[in-house]
Amino acid sequence: MAEVINMPRLSDTMEEGTVASWLKKVGDKIEEGDILAEIETDKATMEFESFHEGTLLHIGIQEGETTKVDTLLAIIGEEGEDISELLKGQGNTAEETSDKSEQSEASEETSEEDTTSDSSSEETALPDGVTVVTMPRLSDTMEEGTVATWLKQIGDTVEEGDILAEIETDKATMEFESFQSGTLLHIGLEEGESAKVDALLAIIGPEGTDVSNIAKNFTSGSDAPKAEKTAVKEEKPVASTPKTEDKKAPAQPVKANTSGRVFISPLAKKMAEEKGIDISQVQGSGENGRVVKRDIENFTTSVASSASAAKFVASGQEDFDEKPNSQMRKVIAKRLAESKFTAPHYYLNVEFDMENAMAFRAQFNTLPDTKISYNDMIVKACALALRQHPQVNSQWFADKMKLNNHVHIGVAVAVEDGLVVPVVKFANEQTLPQINAAVKDFAGRARNKKLTPQEMEGSTFTISNLGMFGIESFTSIINQPNSAILSVGGIIEKPVVKNGQVVPGHTMKLSMACDHRTVDGATGAEFLQTLKGYIENPVTMLV
């Protein structure tokens, strides 16, 4: 059965999108995961992948054209399938979302649904004013999400803009707001439960409406009842003047619950653990005294909490704790396994003399308000070297190789649940202090899960540095679709031979993992030679 693909909402502020380019044309075979088009939003140009298989039967928006979110973008189905009825139903420009038109569309979609029961179309059509909220796709790699906490309960009144829930993706925990007013009639996922993108999350509508049939018959996909347009609020740092996190938060702080139980959002709880804050000492300003993010950010105490002691285990007793895998950990496991077993890795190991680099950094940091790290120097050196070796700055596809002329360096940052890779865009065009500021900002926000999906997309090369942990050398798994990743060890003081004499010196070992489909051994070696020139003579990076 043919699937209707609409213009997606790719950012929280996106209202319309422009098709920058189609990567498929009418008649092409489509596999799940294939990139259909590049869509330009108000924030970035992003690749849009297909979640369906079949043949591309119709393109509704041509390259360069702009249209509203939820407008017909394409139709995918079986080759030769008649889609005239779908085109007739989608052909109007009804972006004005009246309740009657939404009910009509839902009725048409459910009448086409292939059900195994004898129930009539009225049973699955949406009643007036009822909206189905589905699990949104909040990042380019997100395949499922977990409900961290519900901020509304069944029977609660929901206003447009209210925060419904906090949803944990593979990259961050984000607030999920409603674009619909009404009563929360049904919750499809309990706190801690995970589901695929487009699964039933909630149903909102007039109080007293029976939605049991809708919940029971709901299936994800274009033939499901019309889903609510949704947006996600990225969590942003609180300014010096505290701002309300919840639109209905009382003006005066509510005293903490005295019953012994502390009501706290998962995000606030995680922040409190990271900062070593005793949550029983925090006054909650959320609904019913709930401790929320701003309460932790604004909390100050004169006595820092001591680190928690290791769990006591009696001698000779087996003991373990179970910790559910987070969405981030699941995605990391999947992506790294795919990379390791699909990309033929090989490794090139080098050792650089760091004497000049150490002197350069010490002198550079004497400038007023300037401080750069060795990692900043490596990012800059790699960016300059990649411009000279586009093969290392490439990406592999089944039918072609993409040689990038822009340089976006991904910098691996360790967080509690695993690893994230924020991207320094156009790194070759940035100064060392600019790179330092960007990496510092990314690292700080990554540990608080405040990075946006856009800040972790588009890398063309990746750097992983464990030198600060005393690691001398190691190898990494390629961060696909990159063709290579550089592993950076620490600077070691050791005897070295210079001009036939053994003298004290400082060296650093680097290992580059390469995808042999795109980077041959000689190509990788030439890149490392160029990199060596920049690292061992860092003044050349300023030319």
Side-chain angles (χ1 to χ4, degrees), residues 70-323:
D70 288 337
T71 303
L72 173 65
L73 183 65
I75 298 177
I76 295 174
E78 296 179 5
E79 190 172 0
E81 185 175 351
D82 182 13
I83 58 172
S84 56
E85 289 300 315
L86 288 176
L87 291 174
K88 201 180 299 179
Q90 297 281 345
N92 54 26
T93 59
E95 265 72 56
E96 304 87 36
T97 57
S98 69
D99 288 341
K100 289 182 180 179
S101 66
E102 287 191 2
Q103 183 181 0
S104 171
E105 287 175 20
S107 187
E108 288 173 11
E109 290 170 351
T110 53
S111 67
E112 293 170 3
E113 185 176 353
D114 182 19
T115 62
T116 56
S117 65
D118 294 325
S119 59
S120 64
S121 62
E122 286 78 20
E123 289 179 318
T124 52
L126 291 178
D128 285 334
V130 172
T131 303
V132 174
V133 184
T134 58
M135 177 67 73
R137 179 180 294 273
L138 307 180
S139 76
D140 57 330
T141 59
M142 178 178 173
E143 295 182 0
E144 63 179 33
T146 299
V147 176
T149 184
W150 280 102
L151 302 182
K152 297 289 183 180
Q153 302 301 322
I154 293 177
D156 286 357
T157 299
V158 178
E159 298 294 336
E160 183 177 346
D162 281 357
I163 305 300
L164 288 178
E166 291 174 346
I167 295 180
E168 181 187 347
T169 74
D170 57 315
K171 293 181 176 177
T173 299
M174 307 177 78
E175 291 180 339
F176 185 68
E177 72 176 58
S178 174
F179 271 62
Q180 184 77 15
S181 298
T183 299
L184 185 57
L185 303 172
H186 175 80
I187 286 178
L189 292 172
E190 297 302 323
E191 291 184 358
E193 289 185 345
S194 302
K196 298 287 186 184
V197 169
D198 293 333
L200 175 64
L201 188 62
I203 301 177
I204 296 173
E207 186 177 3
T209 306
D210 181 12
V211 294
S212 56
N213 249 356
I214 298 173
K216 183 173 67 176
N217 296 319
F218 180 86
T219 55
S220 60
S222 62
D223 55 351
K226 181 79 173 178
E228 175 189 357
K229 293 179 185 178
T230 54
V232 176
K233 264 191 174 179
E234 176 207 344
E235 303 227 312
K236 297 180 180 178
V238 173
S240 56
T241 302
K243 298 180 181 178
T244 57
E245 176 177 297
D246 200 340
K247 290 192 175 183
K248 292 190 175 181
Q252 297 297 327
V254 181
K255 289 186 179 180
N257 187 291
T258 57
S259 65
R261 179 183 176 188
V262 178
F263 295 95
I264 183 170
S265 74
L267 185 60
K269 184 176 181 181
K270 181 177 178 63
M271 291 174 63
E273 290 173 352
E274 290 173 349
K275 294 184 176 184
I277 295 174
D278 182 357
I279 59 175
S280 65
Q281 299 178 13
V282 182
Q283 288 189 344
S285 61
E287 190 173 356
N288 297 321
R290 181 187 182 88
V291 177
V292 293
K293 176 172 70 75
R294 68 169 177 273
D295 299 322
I296 301 299
E297 291 177 323
N298 296 332
F299 179 80
T300 57
T301 179
S302 57
V303 181
S305 299
S306 58
S308 58
K311 179 181 177 182
F312 172 77
V313 179
S315 177
Q317 178 180 320
E318 293 183 352
D319 184 82
F320 65 89
D321 296 312
E322 286 189 353
K323 180 181 178 182

